[in-house]
Amino acid sequence: TMCDENLVMRIIIVLEQLRLPTTWTGYDADAVWEAMQTDKKREQGKMRFVLPLALGKVVVRNDVTREEVIAVLTKDAGLG
């Protein structure tokens, strides 16, 4: 389950206020996926994702597929 759009906007506003990036360009989604494979936070060979569900509530998942990550990356880059 994904969080609702209002939470997404709240997160974006906070990140922008902190002058942190909220979009990305100039990267190949497949290359990003490959780089993620070397992340030190991997556990038992799987990547862990901390995903917001609601304000103050997250879920840690290790079953996010390559296809799901690529779909999100290409959508956010305006490629999908």
Side-chain angles (χ1 to χ4, degrees):
T1 304
M2 297 186 59
C3 62
D4 70 30
E5 188 64 26
N6 290 331
L7 180 57
V8 172
M9 292 310 301
R10 288 180 74 175
I11 292 169
I12 289 171
I13 289 168
V14 169
L15 291 173
E16 287 174 344
Q17 289 174 342
L18 295 171
R19 296 188 176 142
L20 294 170
T22 59
T23 61
W24 68 287
T25 59
Y27 297 99
D28 175 72
D30 290 309
V32 171
W33 171 261
E34 290 303 318
M36 292 170 68
Q37 301 308 301
T38 64
D39 191 301
K40 65 183 178 192
K41 294 179 291 299
R42 292 170 55 91
E43 185 173 274
Q44 297 178 350
K46 294 184 177 184
M47 284 187 289
R48 292 182 296 162
F49 293 84
V50 179
L51 306 172
L53 296 176
L55 189 59
K57 184 175 180 183
V58 299
V59 63
V60 178
R61 303 276 306 265
N62 68 356
D63 61 347
V64 179
T65 68
R66 177 189 181 280
E67 291 75 23
E68 291 170 318
V69 172
I70 297 295
V72 169
L73 291 175
T74 54
K75 175 183 176 275
D76 286 348
L79 303 173

